Amino acid sequence: MILASVRSVRRKLLLVVGTVTLAALVVTGAALLVYDARAYRQTWMADLETQADILGRASAPALTFDDPKAAQENLALLKARPQVLAAAVYSAKGTQFASYLQHGQPTHEFPRIPELDGARVKDGELIVFKRIIDHDEIVGTVYLRARYELWDRLASYTGILGMAMVASLIVAVLLSYWLSREVTRPLGAVSDAARRVMEQGDFSVRAEKSTQDEVGILVDAFNNMLAEIGRTSETLENSNRQLAHEIAERAEAEAALHASERRHRTLVAALTSLVWTANAQGQFAEPQPSWETYTGQSAGKAQGLGWQNAIEPEDREAFEAGWQQATDSSEPFQHEMRLWHQATQSFRYVNFRAVPVTNAQGDVREWIGTVSDIHDQRMAEEALRELNAELEKRVADRTAELQATNRELEGFSYSVSHDLRAPVRAVAGFSKLLWKDHANQLDDEGRRKLEIIQNEALRMGVLIDDLLLFARLGRQAIKPVELDMRNMAESMYERLQGQQPGNPPEFHIGPLPHAVGDRVLLEQVWANFLSNALKFSSHRDHPVIEVDAISDATEHIYFVRDNGAGFDPRYQNKLFGVFQRLHSTSEFPGNGVGLALVHRIITRHGGRVWADSKPDEGAKFYFSLPKENPNGSH
């Protein structure tokens, strides 16, 4: 599966060589590890048994003469063998005669009695028991316990073996890479040539021959095959061109023979209306399948003038008169009537059309006609007429409601003017009298509060006037006249400039195009824009106000720019609402109605109003007026 997924022969060779080399190294390494483990076990057991035999021979006299000290000294010689962890000498009776424990080892529990001769591995340690024989007599037993370091030896050996395997594998891969490149170079040339043939269809491509071995023979065979395919392909192309030419000629001839029939059938199939034919007298002389399907009449009942029986009786008299006149005058005929529809079992509105077909002498040979079902269209038109009548009634009712609402608004305006102004004037008047007659009797805090009352009463009066103006603005008729916008802006600025405290601003005004609109209302727009520019730039050391305009194909756009306090553009949509303020009254006085008035005035003139600003970077207010006013003047 892996070789099948690899598309390069060179890579397959590398993969095969690498896999074989790796498998050989793994098998060899595993065999060496198994051999070393087995040899280590046998060698270590033989070594310990020899050591035990030597100790037994050396300790035999001590056992014979019952000299434990001599046996202990013999065992102490095991210090030279650090792998030996513990040792003991047992007497012939099986009692421990002498013992040895490697320095640093914890207390060791020696076997109570010796076991039979032999060696075994237990818990990573090698244990050996060896009988002491003197003059063919068992005089005791030697016990040895040593480290069995097989796994440490195998780990170290595996590391060395792994490095050797990696180095061998690298060398093998490098050698196989060089060999595969040399072997597969001719195959690559064949592959490249085949790819170019498939992509470009050029059979003149040839693969380069670089060896004289079997691969070279393959290259020669491939080149010969390409040459043969090229010749065959050229022959086939010539044959195909000739065959295509013959097929085209035959198809053209067949198309010419059946053109009129196909045209007629296509026309009938494309029509959504039913098609019929009649003789010169307007009678059905042959079966009419589409008519019979629509009306449900049989061919016999539709013969002659029987087809007229499918017409609504109330419409038949007018139709028969018109049809008779058409057949007599040989003029095209069209008539709207109701015709029986078999599928819905009802009479449906249709449009009946008939055209005479004449011969060379101009005489009518037959009539060809169509019947188009327009019932749904007529019903939709009727429903639309009813809907229009209902909408007109709703519009009239809504207009009456709006007129009543306007009258109520006028009453409310009068109530505000009369009922609210009187208390405000009273507050303002009495506070003024209090200031005039008793100001010297009040302390500073009292005079400050009285001054606040007077200012707020004055502000309330201005707010009531602005609200009344805002309410009346929707009902006030626009009186359009041509206006000099530059003169209007300059006059308004001169009127407002002296009323604003602070440093006098630097004022620039560009050429402003004339506009058509209501003089009083547009003066209110300039008043609000310029007063705002004066007010919000009054805290600057060097205030600047600029008025200018631009025009496009449909409208004039006027703007007022200042370098004042500006505003946060996130709240731009609140600017032109009633009572919407973006600055506190203590910082900049106002009531939040002026820009709402501007918005309503410009909207009624068919224009737009918007603003652009950033905090502490000034503001730019725009309004546009159409070049052509709603009445059509310019």
Side-chain angles (χ1 to χ4, degrees):
M1 292 296 293
I2 297 177
L3 285 176
S5 63
V6 179
R7 297 185 178 182
S8 173
V9 175
R10 184 176 177 184
R11 292 182 180 178
K12 287 183 179 180
L13 289 175
L14 285 175
L15 183 59
V16 169
V17 172
T19 303
V20 171
T21 303
L22 180 61
L25 291 173
V26 170
V27 172
T28 303
L32 290 175
L33 285 176
V34 172
Y35 173 78
D36 184 72
R38 185 174 180 182
Y40 174 75
R41 178 187 178 93
Q42 293 175 353
T43 302
W44 187 227
M45 284 184 177
D47 184 51
L48 277 186
E49 287 178 350
T50 302
Q51 185 71 49
D53 187 55
I54 294 172
L55 285 174
R57 292 179 182 277
S59 301
L63 288 170
T64 302
F65 296 102
D66 193 20
D67 187 1
K69 182 176 180 181
Q72 189 71 33
E73 290 176 354
N74 290 333
L75 292 176
L77 296 175
L78 292 174
K79 292 179 181 180
R81 301 292 301 272
Q83 292 87 355
V84 179
L85 302 176
V89 176
Y90 291 87
S91 65
K93 296 179 179 181
T95 60
Q96 184 175 321
F97 185 73
S99 63
Y100 163 76
L101 187 64
Q102 189 185 66
H103 179 70
Q105 287 291 317
T107 303
H108 177 68
E109 183 179 353
F110 292 92
R112 291 190 303 170
I113 59 176
E115 298 178 8
L116 297 176
D117 282 3
R120 59 187 174 88
V121 178
K122 181 181 179 182
D123 298 333
E125 296 176 346
L126 183 61
I127 299 174
V128 175
F129 287 94
K130 184 70 175 177
R131 294 283 187 258
I132 301 174
I133 300 175
D134 188 24
H135 299 95
D136 297 328
E137 182 182 354
I138 297 175
V139 296
T141 303
V142 176
Y143 162 73
L144 291 178
R145 183 171 64 88
R147 292 187 182 91
Y148 188 61
E149 299 175 338
L150 175 63
W151 299 112
D152 293 339
R153 179 181 180 86
L154 288 179
S156 176
Y157 195 78
T158 301
I160 296 172
L161 186 61
M163 288 188 290
M165 289 172 63
V166 171
S168 301
L169 187 61
I170 292 174
V171 172
V173 169
L174 292 176
L175 289 174
S176 63
Y177 178 80
W178 177 76
L179 290 173
S180 65
R181 185 177 61 181
E182 295 299 321
V183 171
T184 60
R185 182 183 299 170
L187 295 178
V190 173
S191 175
D192 293 339
R195 186 180 299 109
R196 289 173 58 190
V197 169
M198 289 189 296
E199 293 176 353
Q200 303 174 10
D202 183 7
F203 293 101
S204 64
V205 175
R206 296 293 182 267
E208 181 182 357
K209 181 179 179 181
S210 58
T211 61
Q212 300 299 327
D213 53 9
E214 291 85 351
V215 178
I217 297 173
L218 176 63
V219 172
D220 288 337
F222 178 76
N223 289 334
N224 294 333
M225 181 185 66
L226 285 180
E228 184 63 26
I229 292 175
R231 288 190 293 271
T232 305
S233 176
E234 184 177 358
T235 303
L236 287 175
E237 287 179 359
N238 293 332
S239 300
N240 287 336
R241 282 195 293 268
Q242 184 176 359
L243 181 60
H245 181 68
E246 294 176 356
I247 291 175
E249 290 180 348
R250 183 171 181 178
E252 186 177 352
E254 292 179 353
L257 291 174
H258 302 289
S260 62
E261 181 181 358
R262 287 202 307 271
R263 188 179 300 110
H264 176 72
R265 291 179 179 178
T266 303
L267 177 61
V268 173
L271 290 175
T272 58
S273 306
L274 61 93
V275 180
W276 55 268
T277 61
N279 60 20
Q281 291 74 36
Q283 301 173 350
F284 284 0
E286 57 186 25
Q288 308 292 329
S290 59
W291 177 276
E292 296 163 9
T293 301
Y294 187 89
T295 63
Q297 285 184 315
S298 64
K301 290 183 178 181
Q303 284 293 314
L305 295 176
W307 57 271
Q308 296 181 359
N309 295 327
I311 302 172
E312 163 68 40
E314 296 179 358
D315 301 339
R316 191 179 305 162
E317 183 178 355
F319 173 81
E320 289 176 350
W323 180 238
Q324 184 63 46
Q325 182 180 356
T327 55
D328 292 343
S329 62
S330 302
E331 296 289 336
F333 176 70
Q334 180 171 336
H335 186 78
E336 188 175 308
M337 62 185 182
R338 286 171 288 177
L339 185 68
W340 180 256
H341 185 231
Q342 179 65 21
T344 60
Q345 292 291 301
S346 63
F347 287 100
R348 294 177 65 86
Y349 283 97
V350 297
N351 193 359
F352 184 93
R353 296 184 182 89
V355 177
V357 179
T358 59
N359 56 22
Q361 290 73 30
D363 299 326
V364 176
R365 181 166 54 85
E366 64 177 343
W367 290 82
I368 297 179
T370 62
V371 176
S372 301
D373 190 318
I374 60 171
H375 188 80
D376 293 337
Q377 177 182 347
R378 288 292 300 273
M379 294 299 100
E381 291 174 353
E382 184 65 27
L384 183 60
R385 281 193 295 271
E386 294 177 359
L387 179 60
N388 287 337
E390 183 180 355
L391 287 177
E392 289 177 359
K393 183 178 180 302
R394 290 183 181 179
V395 169
D397 294 342
R398 184 60 177 165
T399 302
E401 292 177 3
L402 289 175
Q403 291 174 350
T405 302
N406 287 335
R407 287 193 295 271
E408 292 176 1
L409 186 59
E410 290 176 358
F412 170 75
S413 301
Y414 177 79
S415 174
V416 169
S417 175
H418 183 270
D419 297 341
L420 292 183
R421 278 182 171 179
V424 171
R425 284 198 300 267
V427 171
F430 279 105
S431 62
K432 186 175 182 180
L433 290 175
L434 182 62
W435 178 272
K436 179 179 179 182
D437 298 338
H438 303 285
N440 56 353
Q441 299 177 13
L442 300 174
D443 57 8
D444 293 342
E445 180 64 18
R447 284 192 293 272
R448 187 186 67 82
K449 292 179 179 178
L450 184 58
E451 185 177 358
I452 291 174
I453 292 173
Q454 289 179 328
N455 292 336
E456 292 301 313
L458 179 62
R459 179 170 170 268
M460 184 64 180
V462 174
L463 180 59
I464 291 172
D465 292 340
D466 288 344
L467 284 175
L468 288 174
L469 178 60
F470 186 78
R472 292 169 182 163
L473 189 59
R475 306 187 306 277
Q476 182 176 342
I478 293 179
K479 301 175 182 178
V481 295
E482 185 173 354
L483 301 173
D484 185 344
M485 298 295 276
R486 177 184 172 92
N487 180 266
M488 185 182 293
E490 284 182 329
S491 300
M492 186 58 64
Y493 175 77
E494 291 174 359
R495 188 189 313 169
L496 296 172
Q497 195 272 333
Q499 303 173 8
Q500 188 67 37
N503 297 323
E506 180 181 338
F507 182 68
H508 302 281
I509 184 168
L512 304 183
H514 287 208
V516 175
D518 189 292
R519 177 180 297 277
V520 175
L521 295 180
L522 291 182
E523 281 184 347
Q524 183 68 37
V525 171
W526 284 115
N528 278 284
F529 272 10
L530 290 171
S531 64
N532 277 352
L534 288 166
K535 175 171 60 177
F536 288 105
S537 62
S538 61
H539 295 174
R540 296 294 188 189
D541 295 333
H542 184 66
V544 178
I545 298 175
E546 180 185 355
V547 178
D548 211 334
I550 55 177
S551 299
D552 59 20
T554 59
E555 62 183 357
H556 301 300
I557 300 174
Y558 306 88
F559 63 86
V560 177
R561 180 192 289 127
D562 64 70
N563 65 340
F567 60 85
D568 193 331
R570 292 179 299 174
Y571 307 110
Q572 184 175 357
N573 58 339
K574 295 184 177 181
L575 278 175
F576 300 99
V578 181
F579 302 132
Q580 298 293 335
R581 291 181 49 81
L582 303 184
H583 299 277
S584 63
T585 307
S586 59
E587 186 179 8
F588 297 104
N591 51 38
V593 179
L595 291 180
L597 284 171
V598 169
H599 182 269
R600 177 166 288 193
I601 291 171
I602 296 302
T603 301
R604 291 201 62 200
H605 279 77
R608 301 174 294 130
V609 60
W610 69 98
D612 184 23
S613 177
K614 289 184 180 179
D616 204 39
E617 294 185 13
K620 192 174 183 180
F621 284 80
Y622 303 82
F623 71 91
S624 69
L625 294 173
K627 288 185 174 181
E628 180 178 348
N629 72 358
N631 294 328
S633 61
H634 294 269

